[in-house]
Amino acid sequence: MARPAAPASRPPGRLVPGRVAWGALGGSAVLAVATVAGDPPDLRPALVAAGCVAALVAMAVGIRRNAPPRRGPFEVLLIGAAALAAGGFLRLAEHAQGVLGLRRPLAGDVVVLAGWVLVAFAVTVLARAPYPNGRANLDTVLDGAVAGVGAYALLWLTVVGPAVFGRPADGTEQAVLAVPPALAIDALAVALVGILARAPRTPAARALTAATALLAAASALDLVAQVGRAAVPGALLSVLDLVGAGCLAAAFLHPTVRRLFGGRPPAGERPEPGVRLGVVVLVPAALAVAGLADPGRPGGAEAVLVGAAALAGCLGAWRVGRATRSAVLREARLAHQVTHDPLTGLGNRTAAEQAITAALGAAARAGEQVAVVFLDLDRFKLVNESHGYSVGDRLLVEVGERLTRAFGRRALVARVGGDEFAVVVFPVHGPLGAAREAELAHGVLAAPFPLYGTELAVSASVGVAVGSGTEGDTDAESLLRDADTAMYQAKESGRDMVVRFDPSMRDRIADRLALEHDLRQAVERDELRLAFQPIVTLGEGPPTVAGLEALLRWERPTRGLVPASAFIECAEAAGLLTEIGDWVVREAAARLVGWREVPGAEGLFVSVNVSALHLKSHTLLARVRRVLAETGLAPDALCLELAESTLMDRPADGVALVVGLRELGVRIAVDDFGHGYGSLASLRQFPVDYVKIDRRLVEPLVDGDAPEATLVAAIVAMARAIDTVTVAEGVEHERQEQVLRELGCDLAQGFLYARPVPDDEVVPTLRAISPRQGLRLVTGDGGAGRPAR
């Protein structure tokens, strides 16, 4: 639930520095010491008066300078403090006139009572701010009221009652005597459980609570002195009054007084503090015990005790009832949170599993079947990246609402993941019925979603699984997992389709998990290998080696040598691709350093394919720089192959990456060019060194009249125009080589020249390509320039 906004107010001027507040408190402490050590004692009233007036002025200055969000409660508190000071001086005047004991004018008592009423009211309002409708507000008031009633009964029975029994005294006066300290204790309780609970680290809140405690203590001791129950030193009362006034001044002067209306919301959603409830229950019980303990108590005292116990009991019962109801509601909310998604309000995975379990039980008894439809929004990440997370969140809500409307009460719709939904349908009539339900869920997303002034076309990959509840191995978890597996099969098959689960998919999942497990160990056990395929020139004369392409292999103990295409996707899903990519670059560079020391092989370069995920890493440039430094390889001897699709997905990022790598001196190749995007103009965006023509364009060149020859010719012409070297991949026949020579292609690689070989066979393979020339290689610039023709 959104937090209510704090009430508006005029902006503060220049806030009072915090040190001024502590200075005011220190000044009141100095006056308090002076009243104790004052000589003659007649100066004490003057010192107390000066301290109280100074505190009231400081409070007024604090209200004006700090400009709290709502001035009303602070002004009421200021007036209440002034009334307390005035009432105290009226009492002193009464004493000076010789009016002692219980038959005295009530003017001072009435003013003090009015002051405590105002103070208690102001403190209660401050404890409620800024959440006037919060449940904890009334709870705080009830806690304070119970404490005040208990304090009133305790003071009356122990202090006032014994002093008035058997002596002539007005009944109204007797009843009023204990009210001010009771109100003071009520205000203290409210401050403790309200203000400090909301802003425990606020100096102003601490100072205000301390002031209430000191003035409450002074009021209680003053009552003891007034009725003659004990001798209370006047100096002690003066110290309490002065330090309490100083704390009030400090609270108003400190700039954090503005935060008395801020802080965190009341802890309405938290369990009730046991101490507070214990006090609420203990007070009426203690009053009842006190009544039973002394049945011979005079009638007036009995009436006070019965009334206080009844009132405290009613307030306590109300408070405990609210706490009980709050606990029940809190438990209900927690139970709802456990089984529901906070964004969409739909059930979550736990709710889906509970619904599947219940449906399977009913299906087993009725001989029916249960269908679980699993949806995953296609490319949902792009929605967040393109339109923002608020649009993505709203889209999820809309998808949930559409699914709920489509299936109604005959199914449970749940959000079981970030962009994943599950629909539990019961009953369904066989696999065909389940397939119809899945198609219904798939069709829900056919219409675009109008969101924030735009329309989003969304598709989903859908999997469906069926269970009857009679099979021993069918439970909620396995049925949901089977539907999830079918959904992933739909994604792998091209997205935006419906796939029904079949048991063979479990075997593929098991193989995938085993592959991932073995792959993680492969990195640790050094089972990865590199194979190298020569890249040769297509100039006149026999082929000449220009460089090598490093190809990743995995020597899997149970399967032998596995090509990268068989495990690279698994490596990406397992989060191993960046680590493996770093290893490939480092290993290829280290191997090439040794080969370039062979006479005649100084110009050899190595080409390494870099994945899209590897490229997205912001530390790629730093890692390549570190590899070059560690291995000592010349930067222009390393060529990184980037897929054309990777560059074109984000052209701006692609250009920045290419430029950064070129500044290191590293060579760049565009891999698999001409298939998929096929944009010749895109070559101009990227300052690359090589363009590798896709093998799917080279393969048809076995037929000299193939239409692909025209496209290859265009790529070669464009590359030549921007001074870029072309490399034909997958050359396996002499006819292909001949056509490529005629078209002007610069370099080639393929089985016609050599298959990929392990590192220990690289040198013999290069010699086999040019047996009469030995290791005669292109030198000078690492093969980056165009070979001589």
Side-chain angles (χ1 to χ4, degrees):
M1 183 172 66
R3 289 174 53 177
S9 68
R10 66 180 180 86
R14 186 178 179 183
L15 297 177
V16 178
R19 61 179 179 275
V20 174
W22 305 130
L25 180 57
S28 68
V30 171
L31 283 177
V33 173
T35 60
V36 175
D39 189 18
D42 294 341
L43 290 176
R44 184 179 300 152
L47 292 175
V48 173
C52 290
V53 171
L56 293 173
V57 172
M59 292 169 68
V61 172
I63 294 175
R64 179 175 180 79
R65 288 284 301 275
N66 292 326
R70 287 173 57 189
R71 297 178 54 152
F74 295 96
E75 292 172 344
V76 171
L77 187 55
L78 172 60
I79 296 172
L84 291 180
F89 286 112
L90 280 176
R91 285 179 173 177
L92 289 177
E94 292 169 0
H95 279 272
Q97 295 173 7
V99 183
L100 303 173
L102 297 174
R103 287 196 169 276
R104 66 184 189 282
L106 297 177
D109 293 322
V110 171
V111 174
V112 169
L113 175 61
W116 274 115
V117 169
L118 294 175
V119 170
F121 173 78
V123 170
T124 301
V125 173
L126 289 176
R128 290 167 56 86
Y131 314 100
N133 298 320
R135 184 192 63 80
N137 290 324
L138 181 55
D139 293 344
T140 299
V141 174
L142 290 175
D143 291 340
V146 171
V149 170
Y152 177 83
L154 178 65
L155 290 171
W156 210 97
L157 292 175
T158 60
V159 178
V160 178
V164 300
F165 295 148
R167 298 174 60 184
D170 181 77
T172 303
E173 182 182 358
Q174 297 175 27
V176 169
L177 285 175
V179 173
L183 285 173
I185 293 174
D186 171 81
L188 177 60
V190 170
L192 288 173
V193 301
I195 297 176
L196 280 188
R198 192 181 72 245
R201 299 180 182 177
T202 305
R206 293 175 176 175
L208 179 58
T209 306
T212 308
L214 291 168
L215 295 178
S219 180
L221 291 175
D222 182 66
L223 175 64
V224 173
Q226 291 289 343
V227 300
R229 290 289 291 166
V232 179
L236 176 59
L237 294 177
S238 298
V239 168
L240 292 175
D241 287 335
L242 283 172
V243 178
C247 287
L248 276 179
F252 277 60
L253 288 173
H254 201 279
T256 58
V257 69
R258 294 180 52 80
R259 290 164 54 188
L260 290 182
F261 277 85
R264 54 184 171 81
E269 303 298 323
R270 302 179 181 178
E272 290 288 350
V275 174
R276 288 171 56 178
L277 287 181
V279 171
V280 167
V281 175
L282 183 62
V283 168
L287 295 178
V289 170
L292 295 174
D294 187 7
R297 185 177 287 108
E302 190 70 24
V304 171
L305 184 62
V306 170
L311 181 57
C314 291
L315 293 174
W318 186 8
R319 179 68 177 88
V320 172
R322 286 176 56 82
T324 303
R325 182 173 179 271
S326 174
V328 172
L329 293 176
R330 184 173 60 255
E331 291 297 328
R333 281 192 294 269
L334 290 176
H336 185 273
Q337 292 171 4
V338 168
T339 58
H340 286 76
D341 170 50
L343 175 64
T344 62
L346 300 174
N348 57 16
R349 182 178 288 271
T350 300
E353 291 181 352
Q354 291 174 352
I356 295 171
T357 299
L360 286 173
R365 294 188 296 269
E368 300 284 355
Q369 289 186 313
V370 180
V372 176
V373 181
F374 203 103
L375 297 88
D376 183 274
L377 302 184
D378 296 328
R379 300 182 178 89
F380 178 73
K381 183 179 179 182
L382 293 180
V383 175
N384 284 333
E385 292 177 349
S386 304
H387 300 279
Y389 286 92
S390 59
V391 174
D393 288 346
R394 188 59 204 169
L395 174 61
L396 294 174
V397 173
E398 293 282 349
V399 170
E401 291 178 353
R402 284 196 187 182
L403 289 171
T404 301
R405 288 195 299 268
F407 286 92
R409 295 185 177 181
R410 63 191 183 87
L412 171 79
V413 179
R415 180 187 176 206
V416 295
D419 59 343
E420 297 175 338
F421 295 84
V423 183
V424 183
V425 188
F426 172 77
V428 293
H429 303 292
L432 291 180
R436 284 193 294 270
E437 302 293 355
E439 291 293 346
L440 173 61
H442 184 256
V444 160
L445 306 183
F449 289 82
L451 298 173
Y452 302 109
T454 185
E455 288 195 347
L456 292 179
V458 180
S459 65
S461 301
V462 182
V464 59
V466 181
S468 62
T470 59
E471 305 163 6
D473 60 346
T474 300
D475 57 17
E477 184 178 355
S478 62
L479 195 58
L480 193 61
R481 184 182 63 244
D482 291 346
D484 189 10
T485 300
M487 181 275 296
Y488 272 107
Q489 184 63 44
K491 277 199 176 298
E492 292 178 357
S493 300
R495 297 188 178 94
D496 193 19
M497 63 177 61
V498 176
V499 172
R500 189 164 65 89
F501 175 80
D502 68 75
S504 66
M505 294 180 183
R506 289 197 186 117
D507 298 333
R508 289 196 291 272
I509 292 296
D511 290 342
R512 179 65 174 262
L513 292 175
L515 178 66
E516 180 177 331
H517 176 268
D518 292 348
L519 187 57
R520 290 186 183 277
Q521 292 186 331
V523 177
E524 300 172 358
R525 297 176 179 177
D526 194 24
E527 294 174 357
L528 299 179
R529 303 287 182 266
L530 286 183
F532 297 87
Q533 186 173 36
I535 301 173
V536 302
T537 64
L538 290 179
E540 297 180 0
T544 305
V545 178
L548 301 163
E549 180 178 3
L551 303 171
L552 180 62
R553 300 289 186 264
W554 173 20
E555 193 172 342
R556 193 177 183 186
T558 58
R559 303 287 179 87
L561 209 59
V562 181
S565 58
F567 64 86
I568 204 70
E569 182 180 347
C570 179
E572 180 175 358
L576 299 171
L577 199 53
T578 299
E579 181 182 355
I580 291 175
D582 287 347
W583 179 88
V584 171
V585 174
R586 185 180 299 103
E587 186 73 9
R591 292 288 181 268
L592 184 62
V593 168
W595 293 326
R596 283 167 64 93
E597 294 177 356
V598 176
E602 295 85 356
L604 200 65
F605 74 93
V606 67
S607 181
V608 179
N609 192 283
V610 181
S611 70
L613 184 63
H614 206 178
L615 292 175
K616 292 179 182 179
S617 172
H618 298 295
T619 60
L620 177 62
L621 293 177
R623 296 203 304 273
V624 171
R625 185 184 295 110
R626 184 168 58 250
V627 166
L628 295 175
E630 291 174 355
T631 61
L633 182 67
D636 63 356
L638 177 63
C639 176
L640 299 182
E641 297 186 10
L642 315 180
E644 177 193 3
S645 59
T646 300
L647 293 175
M648 292 304 300
D649 280 342
R650 294 184 175 182
D653 294 343
V655 170
L657 176 64
V658 169
V659 170
L661 291 171
R662 288 292 299 274
E663 289 177 351
L664 288 181
V666 175
R667 306 299 181 180
I668 304 297
V670 178
D671 194 20
D672 297 332
F673 188 83
H675 182 81
Y677 287 86
S679 174
L680 297 177
S682 66
L683 280 178
R684 294 186 178 275
Q685 300 181 50
F686 308 106
V688 299
D689 302 282
Y690 300 92
V691 173
K692 302 194 75 172
I693 303 172
D694 191 273
R695 64 177 61 248
R696 283 165 286 193
L697 296 179
V698 174
E699 183 179 356
L701 298 184
V702 174
D703 180 3
D705 296 329
E708 285 79 4
T710 303
L711 183 54
V712 172
I715 294 174
V716 171
M718 176 64 76
R720 187 178 295 276
I722 59 176
D723 196 27
T724 300
V725 177
T726 51
V727 184
E729 298 182 284
V731 180
E732 299 182 2
H733 303 281
E734 292 183 356
R735 177 58 180 163
Q736 293 171 323
E737 180 188 61
Q738 179 183 351
V739 173
L740 290 169
R741 287 178 184 272
E742 293 172 355
L743 295 177
C745 188
D746 300 308
L747 303 173
Q749 68 180 99
F751 292 171
L752 179 62
Y753 312 106
R755 292 179 177 273
V757 296
D759 54 2
D760 57 352
E761 297 181 19
V762 166
V763 173
T765 300
L766 298 180
R767 288 178 175 150
I769 292 175
S770 302
R772 287 175 293 181
Q773 286 81 15
L775 285 179
R776 175 168 164 254
L777 309 170
V778 175
T779 61
D781 63 353
R786 192 175 309 282
R789 305 180 78 79

